[in-house]
């Protein structure tokens, strides 16, 4: 199983527009059972380019998604394996069960509900009472419940803030796509941005 960060990664992350992320989480399955995915890429075509695959029509790899059908991203029981192909080869059907379990593990490891001092260069989902003191170069797909981030730095990005989730300070080129419900950002500095604010969401102070 591979999880590679590539120079081809697109840092202009597209924020979440709805309650869940489209095509989350995408991966490529090889004939030998390896799963290819990337924390910063949810396009199958990007993954094919990152890993140098050639689609020669012989079905040596299969495009898959592990998705929730619009349900909460932090509940692993909501996920189902989907195949993004017109048909699947026999070799894939023989390992479908194993692939499902591996994708369950991959996504489960992205869901954080406990306290963490720092997260660097990862894609995660924050839920419950999770407190993360500092994030750098990260994607938080969604913040739920009363999850909290102390400081967002560098090109870190939150797709969507829901419920009573909170970010203390946004710095550098950090971004939040959509704020909903009673979510809050304490201080925005430098070139940090919030795309859209709804409901009773708040930003305390904007500077620089």
């Amino acid at each position: 199983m591979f999880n590679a960060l590539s120079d081809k990664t697109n840092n202009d992350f597209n924020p979440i527009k709805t309650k869940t992320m489209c095509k989350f989480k995408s991966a490529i399955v090889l004939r030998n059972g390896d799963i290819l995915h990337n924390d910063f890429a949810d396009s199958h075509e990007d993954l094919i380019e990152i890993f140098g695959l050639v689609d020669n029509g012989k079905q040596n790899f299969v495009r898959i998604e592990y998705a929730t059908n619009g349900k909460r991203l932090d509940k692993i029981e909501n996920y189902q394996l989907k195949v993004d192909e017109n048909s699947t080869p026999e070799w894939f059907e023989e390992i479908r069960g194993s692939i499902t379990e591996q994708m369950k593990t991959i996504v489960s490891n992205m869901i954080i509900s406990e306290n963490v001092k720092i997260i660097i260069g990862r894609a995660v989902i924050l839920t419950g009472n999770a407190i993360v003191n500092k994030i750098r170069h990260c994607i938080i797909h969604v913040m739920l419940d009363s999850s909290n981030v102390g400081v967002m730095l560098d090109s870190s990005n939150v797709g969507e803030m829901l419920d009573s989730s909170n970010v203390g300070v946004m710095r550098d080129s950090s971004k939040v796509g959509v704020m909903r419900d009673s979510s809050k950002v304490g201080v925005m500095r430098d070139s940090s941005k919030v795309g859209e604010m709804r409901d009773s969401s708040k930003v305390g102070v904007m500077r620089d």
Side-chain angles (χ1 to χ4, degrees), residues 6 9 58 68 83 112 134 186 202:
S6 169
T9 297
K58 295 182 179 180
T68 64
V83 177
I112 295 177
K134 184 188 299 183
K202 295 179 181 180

Side-chain angles (χ1 to χ4, degrees), residues 19 30-31 37 62 65 90 98 165 169 181 193 206:
K19 291 286 184 179
L30 301 184
R31 183 183 287 269
H37 66 103
V62 171
E65 296 167 8
E90 183 177 344
S98 172
S165 57
V169 181
D181 307 322
K193 296 180 181 180
M206 299 177 67

Side-chain angles (χ1 to χ4, degrees), residues 8 27-28 30 44 56 59 90 96 143 181 183-184:
K8 297 178 181 178
I28 302 288
L30 301 184
H44 288 128
N56 56 13
Q59 291 191 301
E90 183 177 344
R96 180 188 281 267
M143 294 178 64
D181 307 322
S183 57
K184 296 179 182 179

